[in-house]
Amino acid sequence: MTVLIRQLHKHFVGEVSGVDLRRPLTQQEAIDIEAGMDKYAVLVFHGQDISDEQQMAFALNFGERESSRGGTVTKKEDYRLSSGLNDVGNLGKDGQPLPKDHRTHLFNLGNCLWHSDSSFRPIPAKFSLLSARVVNPKGGNTEFADMRAAYDALDDETKAEIDDMICEHSLMYSRGSLGFLDYTDDEKQMFKPVLQRLVRTHPVHGRKSLYLSSHAGAIRGMSMPEARLLLHDLTEHATQGEFVYVHKWTVHDLVMWDNRQTVHRVRRYDQSQPRDMRRATVAGTQPTVAQEAAE
């Protein structure tokens, strides 16, 4: 079948038709979808009633699976999923919504902040592919912001100021901003800050974009208050309505996004009701900057 993509937003986001993700992609379909990702940065697939295995097989057309280690406080023995997908709903191993005071629930509230997946890793993620299996009846929309258009809209002076800046990213920065401060020694080591460029250049089309995330909490060569104020101002600029697409989930939607060109966040929802969302994450292939110990 022919892959068809219809643009949904002034700057980005494409709605895909002509693809059944229950079957393997042809080589041309995979090429067309990756080209769509380069252009639109977010792709929406409706009506994809897929299994975990089919979701992972689709993701592997675009690179290797990213290891989930180091991205959660949930212990391995408490994982609900064993398929290699990231569990980003609100369910415990028993299939019921997590209690409001559960440590995993409190940690996962950080997903309500604007972020780019895995920017806290030395080699951050390429694509994320999120499948809606159970949709919460109230809230839970996911918002995406186009970091290319946001960069383009900056004045030349700001572009010159930030072009070579290096940030430190850590899950402890994003969760700490919500008051989640209780970590074991192993978690502190696992979540040690890594370095990322503040401005990225896409490897295919060469457009520059802001590389923002709630995980960013410091900038090399700046005081902490100065750095956080600059990051706050840039995020405020980049996530104004002009650059944002709001996805209202329906069951069996799959949304795929490029973490190198966008940020996203989930909106608050009724935590007493089940929300089953499963993400496949395609690993990045290179760091944004040479890594060193970020103290």
Side-chain angles (χ1 to χ4, degrees):
M1 297 177 70
T2 302
V3 176
L4 301 174
I5 303 177
R6 179 175 69 94
Q7 189 161 339
L8 296 180
H9 185 278
K10 174 182 176 182
H11 294 297
F12 69 143
V13 187
E15 182 183 64
V16 181
S17 57
V19 179
D20 182 351
L21 302 185
R22 294 172 298 182
R23 60 172 183 78
L25 295 185
T26 66
Q27 183 179 17
Q28 188 58 52
E29 286 172 335
I31 290 170
D32 291 345
I33 290 170
E34 180 133 19
M37 287 293 290
D38 293 341
K39 180 177 181 179
Y40 298 105
V42 179
L43 293 179
V44 177
F45 302 76
H46 294 296
Q48 303 293 336
D49 184 4
I50 53 176
S51 66
D52 288 4
E53 292 71 27
Q54 289 165 336
Q55 184 176 347
M56 184 61 72
F58 174 54
L60 293 177
N61 285 283
F62 310 104
E64 296 183 2
R65 177 177 75 88
E66 180 183 81
S67 170
S68 61
R69 188 185 182 281
T72 181
V73 296
T74 306
K75 294 180 174 61
K76 193 168 184 178
E77 59 267 25
D78 294 328
Y79 285 2
R80 184 174 66 98
L81 306 179
S82 59
S83 56
L85 297 181
N86 301 92
D87 188 356
V88 291
N90 69 340
L91 305 179
K93 199 171 184 179
D94 61 358
Q96 299 301 308
L98 293 166
K100 285 195 171 184
D101 61 351
H102 195 282
R103 192 164 185 259
T104 295
H105 163 66
L106 296 174
F107 186 83
N108 287 346
L109 287 175
N111 292 325
C112 294
L113 303 173
W114 289 109
H115 65 284
S116 176
D117 287 341
S118 299
S119 75
F120 52 82
R121 300 183 189 278
I123 298 179
K126 179 185 179 185
F127 295 160
S128 295
L129 303 89
L130 188 60
S131 171
R133 309 298 178 84
V134 176
V135 175
N136 196 279
K138 182 180 179 181
N141 295 338
T142 300
E143 299 178 345
F144 298 89
D146 186 346
M147 296 294 96
R148 308 164 304 180
Y151 176 84
D152 291 345
L154 293 171
D155 60 74
D156 290 342
E157 184 179 355
T158 302
K159 289 178 181 176
E161 178 189 5
I162 68 174
D163 195 54
D164 293 321
M165 286 185 176
I166 305 298
C167 300
E168 295 181 8
H169 289 233
S170 169
L171 282 164
M172 290 188 289
Y173 290 141
S174 54
R175 274 49 185 177
S177 71
L178 296 180
F180 189 104
L181 304 169
D182 181 23
Y183 301 97
T184 67
D185 288 342
D186 285 347
E187 287 168 348
K188 289 177 182 178
Q189 184 62 32
M190 187 165 60
F191 299 152
K192 194 172 182 179
V194 301
L195 305 179
Q196 307 288 1
R197 292 189 61 87
L198 181 51
V199 178
R200 296 186 70 166
T201 301
H202 193 275
V204 176
H205 50 61
R207 285 184 71 181
K208 288 187 174 183
S209 61
L210 291 169
Y211 192 40
L212 295 168
S213 184
S214 58
H215 307 316
I219 299 175
R220 285 294 174 94
M222 296 184 75
S223 69
M224 185 75 78
E226 286 180 307
R228 292 196 174 180
L229 184 59
L230 175 58
L231 291 168
H232 177 274
D233 286 352
L234 288 172
T235 301
E236 187 174 59
H237 159 77
T239 57
Q240 58 188 306
E242 162 83 6
F243 308 121
V244 172
Y245 161 76
V246 179
H247 186 73
K248 299 178 180 180
W249 292 96
T250 56
V251 174
H252 303 318
D253 281 352
L254 183 136
V255 179
M256 179 177 181
W257 64 90
D258 188 338
N259 289 291
R260 303 166 299 180
Q261 305 188 82
T262 63
V263 293
H264 63 282
R265 65 178 179 179
V266 64
R267 305 305 281 151
R268 292 174 64 242
Y269 57 91
D270 183 354
Q271 292 286 346
S272 70
Q273 299 298 312
R275 184 177 193 262
D276 188 351
M277 309 290 284
R278 306 184 185 194
R279 190 185 78 224
T281 312
V282 179
T285 57
Q286 59 187 19
T288 65
V289 63
Q291 295 294 314
E292 58 185 86
E295 299 299 338

